[in-house]
Amino acid sequence: MSKKEDNKISPVNRFNILWVNIQVIMTILVVIFLILSFVSSKKYFLGMEVCMGLDLLVMAYNNYLIYKRKNVTVMYAIIGVLVLLYALLGFIGVI
């Protein structure tokens, strides 16, 4: 790898690791809520949607902070906001 490619990834520090840990926890919560919504009634689906939206926003932040990939960051952020908006509209009964 060239020297230019090595500079794309920021150095690992405790602050970056904290956000990666939050992302892992959010992903585990998404899987748990998804399984619960399949096994029991659909009452856990809203929790899965909220966790997925927050997980996508944390993924966008990690991409921006650590990997510095702008296009993927914007995609994750837009999809995360749309999922949270869909969950909110579903919660208040519009959808």
Side-chain angles (χ1 to χ4, degrees):
M1 287 189 357
S2 68
K3 186 77 169 171
K4 189 174 184 180
E5 290 178 15
D6 290 341
N7 292 336
K8 281 188 167 186
I9 298 177
S10 67
V12 176
N13 56 33
R14 288 181 188 216
F15 185 72
N16 292 350
I17 294 298
L18 172 71
W19 285 103
V20 171
N21 288 338
I22 291 172
Q23 180 181 339
V24 168
I25 291 168
M26 293 302 295
T27 304
I28 291 170
L29 284 174
V30 167
V31 171
I32 289 171
F33 276 118
L34 184 66
I35 291 170
L36 286 174
S37 66
F38 282 143
V39 171
S40 66
S41 64
K42 300 293 181 184
K43 65 182 180 179
Y44 293 107
F45 195 72
L46 178 66
M48 192 266 309
E49 286 177 328
V50 171
C51 286
M52 182 181 293
L54 293 175
D55 189 24
L56 285 167
L57 290 176
V58 171
M59 286 171 67
Y61 184 71
N62 283 339
N63 264 322
Y64 176 75
L65 190 68
I66 298 171
Y67 300 110
K68 306 203 186 309
R69 295 185 294 187
K70 293 180 183 178
N71 294 335
V72 179
T73 299
V74 172
M75 181 185 68
Y76 284 151
I78 290 172
I79 294 173
V81 168
L82 289 176
V83 168
L84 285 175
L85 185 64
Y86 183 77
L88 176 69
L89 291 176
F91 179 71
I92 60 175
V94 174
I95 296 178

